Amino acid sequence: MKNWYLLIVILPLILLSCSKKDKHERSLNNTGHDIGKLRKDVLYRGDVDAYNSLSIEFFDYPPGELLPYAIIMENKYNDSVFCMDIYQSILFIYYAGNSAYIDEQTAKMAIENLEKAAKKGIDEAILRLTYIPKDNKNLTYKEKFKYAMGN
């Protein structure tokens, strides 16, 4: 009888303790840095390391969160990585059937940054530009953007 009593009391305790998830689990994208400080370091100091950490952190955020930081860093450093991040941020916002909603100016920003990245030798940018027809003088930037998406 004592064994049954122990089993009835201990078994639920064991099951409850095993089913609880660790409340302190961290995302693999958590760099351990204060995100507010990273944002400020990118905005006010143009800190490349802070930008890199922020870009990792933002994998857990909605698409496009990195865009303003990528624009600031590209303007400051004129680096192909930031050009590609601008394009990819816009791409992620309008991906999955939402490309019909992109406006001409945003599409222009995306394509111009894709072209800059390609000129600087970024393979992904070069590949994406091959999706756009060679004879594209009459295409709008929206149309070029849709072709570059590969859809």
Side-chain angles (χ1 to χ4, degrees):
M1 184 72 165
K2 285 184 181 180
N3 291 338
W4 282 107
Y5 178 73
L6 287 174
L7 185 64
I8 291 173
V9 171
I10 294 176
L11 186 61
L13 291 174
I14 292 173
L15 292 175
L16 286 174
S17 67
C18 291
S19 68
K20 288 184 182 178
K21 288 188 175 182
D22 184 10
K23 293 181 182 177
H24 301 290
E25 276 187 31
R26 283 184 3 167
S27 165
L28 294 176
N29 301 322
N30 185 334
T31 62
H33 296 98
D34 175 40
I35 199 152
K37 182 175 181 344
L38 291 175
R39 289 175 191 252
K40 287 178 183 176
D41 287 349
V42 171
L43 291 174
Y44 304 129
R45 294 185 20 228
D47 186 327
V48 175
D49 290 333
Y51 177 86
N52 291 333
S53 293
L54 201 58
S55 67
I56 293 168
E57 292 276 352
F58 280 166
F59 280 118
D60 290 335
Y61 284 73
E65 287 287 320
L66 189 63
L67 183 58
Y69 303 97
I71 292 171
I72 289 167
M73 295 298 279
E74 199 282 324
N75 288 338
K76 184 173 184 73
Y77 294 108
N78 194 27
D79 188 286
S80 59
V81 170
F82 306 123
C83 292
M84 199 61 195
D85 283 353
I86 292 169
Y87 170 76
Q88 287 178 331
S89 291
I90 295 170
L91 174 69
F92 294 149
I93 292 169
Y94 291 101
Y95 200 72
N98 295 324
S99 64
Y101 299 107
I102 192 168
D103 62 274
E104 188 67 15
Q105 285 302 110
T106 305
K108 181 180 179 183
M109 180 192 314
I111 294 300
E112 286 177 347
N113 278 282
L114 185 63
E115 289 170 343
K116 282 186 203 176
K119 285 178 186 171
K120 294 176 183 180
I122 300 291
D123 292 335
E124 175 70 16
I126 295 167
L127 175 67
R128 292 250 175 214
L129 287 176
T130 64
Y131 299 153
I132 301 172
K134 297 270 186 240
D135 183 25
N136 62 29
K137 298 284 186 221
N138 295 327
L139 292 178
T140 66
Y141 282 103
K142 285 177 72 168
E143 292 168 329
K144 290 178 183 180
F145 180 77
K146 288 178 185 178
Y147 277 113
M149 288 176 76
N151 295 2

